[in-house]
Amino acid sequence: MKIDLLVVYRFFHTFLLTDSLALLILSFGGDIMPIQMMKSLLLFVPILLLYWIQRRFQSLLLFAVSGAVSLAVLYTASQTVWERAAFMVCGALLVLLYFFERAGSGESLLVRPSYAGLLIFAGIYIYTLAYHKSTLGTVICLFTGAYWLLTILSENRRSLLKLYAQNEKLHRFPKNRIAEGNRIALGGFCVLVTAGMIFLPMSGFDKVLQRIGHLLVRLLRRLLAGLGGAEELIQEEPEMAEQMPFFPGEFKEASPFWQALFQILEKVFVLLFLAAVVYLVCRILYDLYKKYHETVLTDGDRVEFLSPVKGDRKEGLKKRKRSGSLFSARSANEMIRRYYKKKIESTAKKTIPVSLAPEEIEETAGLSGAEGMEEFHEIYEKARYGKERCGQDEVLRMRELR
C-alpha cells in the first residue's frame, strides 16, 4: 500500500506542537527530567487513535469514547501534578483539534504543517531565553528545525500534487522528470536549511534575542514606572533576566485616589477578560457541536438550500429554527434518508455512484422487487423530494422495513 506523505507530515506536525506545549507546561514545575520527555511520546496515542476514529467512523459517541480513553492513558502515565496538567491540557487540545476538523468537513490549517506554526516555537524559545531554561531551549531548537523542514516538505508536496492535477490531461506531460528534478532541488534546499540551523546557535543569535528582549523590558518598565511615579527599577542589563516576569512590582507611594482607581480597573478588566474567554469557549463548542451533529446525521445525503438575497432579508424573512433540544434527534426526513442509506450500504456488494436515481440505486443494490420495497421507496422519495414533512409514524415504518 502506497503511503500518503501528507498524512505522515500531519502526524508529526501535530505531535511536535502538542509535545512542545506539554514540555512548556512541565517546565513551570522545574527542570524537565529525561523520563518526562520519554512520557511525552505517549501523545502519539491520542493522535493516531483520534485521527483513525474521525476518519473511519462517523459516530460522535465513538469519538467521545476514544477521546476519553486517550485522556485516561495520559492521566495514568502521569505521576506529578505538573505532568497531569501538561498531558491533560494537551490531550484535551487534541480532542478539540480533531473534533474541529471533523465538524469542518475537511482539512484545516490547524492539523497540517504551516509557517504560522513556527511562531509558536518562537514564542516558547523566547520564554526559555528569558527564564534560562537551557534544556527546554535545546529541545525546542531541535523541534523548530524539524518543524521547519516538515513545513517545507509538506508545502512542496502540496504544490507538486496541484501541478499534477492541473496538467494530468496534457499530452506527454513529463511527470517523472518533474518529480526527479523537484526531488534533487528539494534535497539540496533541505541540506542548506539544516546547515543554517546548525550554524545559527553557534553564531550567538540567542544572545541577540536576549538583548532585544531586555531592551523591550526596559522600555516597558520605564513606561509603567512613569505612569506610577516610580524610579527606574533596573540599572544593569544582567540583572534584568533575574527579575522576570516583566512587570514592576515596587512603586513609590502614589495618590490614594490613583491607587484605588487602578485597583478597581484591574479587577474590572480581569473579570471582563475571564467572562469573554468563558463565553467564547462555550460559543465555539456549541457551534462545533451543531455543525458536527448536522454533518454526521445527514451522512452525505444533504439537501442544499439557497439563502435569500440581501433585498429579501430586509423584507422580513427570518431564519428557520430547528425544533428540539441540543441532544435531540434531527428531523423525520433526515432520519428516513439515513435509514434508506444504511439499507442500501448493507445490501450493496459494490460502491454505488451517488449520481444514480433512487430506482437505479435499488436495482444496483439488488433490492428491486423485494418485499416491502415499494413502500420503502415511496417513503424515501417523500422525505427526499416531497414538499411536505414526514411524520414519526413514517419514521417508525421506515425503521421496520429497513
Side-chain angles (χ1 to χ4, degrees):
M1 185 178 67
K2 189 175 181 180
I3 299 176
D4 189 351
L5 293 178
L6 292 180
V7 174
V8 177
Y9 294 155
R10 61 186 287 155
F11 279 152
F12 284 101
H13 148 82
T14 309
F15 172 74
L16 289 175
L17 283 181
T18 52
D19 194 47
S20 299
L21 179 60
L23 295 178
L24 174 64
I25 299 175
L26 285 173
S27 68
F28 295 157
D31 295 333
I32 302 177
M33 306 300 293
I35 186 63
Q36 293 176 327
M37 293 186 182
M38 295 297 295
K39 287 182 179 179
S40 66
L41 297 177
L42 288 173
L43 290 172
F44 258 120
V45 173
I47 292 174
L48 296 175
L49 180 61
L50 293 173
Y51 177 82
W52 182 69
I53 290 295
Q54 67 97 14
R55 284 292 180 184
R56 182 65 179 83
F57 302 97
Q58 295 181 340
S59 171
L60 181 60
L61 177 61
L62 187 59
F63 181 86
V65 171
S66 61
V69 170
S70 302
L71 293 177
V73 170
L74 294 175
Y75 184 85
T76 305
S78 306
Q79 293 181 349
T80 64
V81 175
W82 287 109
E83 287 182 4
R84 293 192 184 98
F87 295 151
M88 289 298 100
V89 169
C90 292
L93 179 63
L94 288 172
V95 173
L96 293 177
L97 189 67
Y98 285 109
F99 185 87
F100 177 80
E101 184 192 4
R102 177 63 182 87
S105 301
E107 186 184 49
S108 64
L109 290 175
L110 296 176
V111 294
R112 77 182 196 192
S114 63
Y115 293 105
L118 292 171
L119 296 177
I120 299 177
F121 293 98
I124 299 176
Y125 185 67
I126 292 174
Y127 160 79
T128 61
L129 290 178
Y131 288 89
H132 301 285
K133 305 286 186 178
S134 57
T135 304
L136 179 60
T138 303
V139 175
I140 293 299
C141 280
L142 296 175
F143 280 7
T144 305
Y147 189 81
W148 192 1
L149 292 175
L150 197 65
T151 304
I152 294 172
L153 295 174
S154 178
E155 294 298 326
N156 176 267
R157 182 65 178 171
R158 291 179 183 280
S159 301
L160 201 62
L161 293 178
K162 185 177 180 182
L163 178 65
Y164 292 163
Q166 292 174 345
N167 299 277
E168 62 180 353
K169 297 182 180 180
L170 192 64
H171 180 60
R172 298 180 69 179
F173 179 63
K175 180 177 179 180
N176 293 333
R177 287 196 298 172
I178 291 176
E180 183 180 358
N182 175 78
R183 195 179 300 113
I184 295 174
L186 182 63
F189 184 70
C190 289
V191 169
L192 290 177
V193 170
T194 305
M197 289 187 295
I198 295 175
F199 170 76
L200 198 62
M202 302 178 183
S203 64
F205 183 70
D206 54 341
K207 301 297 182 183
V208 176
L209 287 179
Q210 216 168 17
R211 293 186 67 84
I212 293 176
H214 291 168
L215 178 61
L216 294 176
V217 170
R218 171 165 291 186
L219 293 176
L220 181 61
R221 284 178 176 270
R222 282 182 178 177
L223 177 62
L224 295 177
L227 292 176
E231 296 178 351
E232 189 174 351
L233 297 175
I234 299 180
Q235 301 294 336
E236 299 296 334
E237 186 77 8
E239 297 177 2
M240 284 187 175
E242 300 176 359
Q243 300 190 19
M244 303 295 180
F246 297 154
F247 297 99
E250 299 178 1
F251 289 93
K252 282 188 172 181
E253 290 295 330
S255 170
F257 170 76
W258 290 110
Q259 289 182 1
L261 179 62
F262 279 118
Q263 289 178 358
I264 294 173
L265 289 177
E266 180 183 6
K267 291 180 174 58
V268 170
F269 283 134
V270 169
L271 290 176
L272 289 177
F273 176 77
L274 293 177
V277 169
V278 171
Y279 171 78
L280 184 62
V281 171
C282 293
R283 183 59 185 268
I284 290 175
L285 292 177
Y286 177 71
D287 292 341
L288 286 176
Y289 173 81
K290 290 198 301 183
K291 195 168 184 179
Y292 184 96
H293 202 44
E294 177 185 0
T295 305
V296 171
L297 284 183
T298 52
D299 222 2
D301 194 13
R302 282 175 173 259
V303 177
E304 300 292 342
F305 297 95
L306 294 177
S307 59
V309 298
K310 294 184 179 179
D312 293 337
R313 290 177 182 173
K314 294 181 180 179
E315 295 176 2
L317 292 178
K318 296 183 179 180
K319 184 178 180 182
R320 296 174 60 183
K321 294 183 178 180
R322 187 183 295 276
S323 60
S325 62
L326 179 64
F327 295 96
S328 64
R330 294 295 178 178
S331 67
N333 291 26
E334 292 174 348
M335 297 300 297
I336 289 174
R337 296 202 309 272
R338 196 176 184 201
Y339 289 146
Y340 182 85
K341 184 173 183 180
K342 284 188 174 182
K343 183 177 182 65
I344 296 297
E345 289 178 344
S346 62
T347 308
K349 298 181 180 179
K350 61 180 180 178
T351 304
I352 300 178
V354 295
S355 59
L356 298 181
E359 296 176 352
E360 297 173 330
I361 292 176
E362 295 160 10
E363 183 178 355
T364 306
L367 293 173
S368 298
E371 183 180 356
M373 196 59 203
E374 183 177 355
E375 183 181 2
F376 193 81
H377 175 83
E378 291 177 356
I379 297 176
Y380 172 73
E381 283 200 335
K382 179 181 178 181
R384 183 65 194 273
Y385 305 110
K387 295 182 179 180
E388 298 181 359
R389 293 183 175 275
C390 298
Q392 290 299 323
D393 54 339
E394 292 170 309
V395 175
L396 296 176
R397 182 57 181 163
M398 198 71 172
R399 185 185 301 173
E400 295 174 358
L401 293 173
R402 71 187 175 96

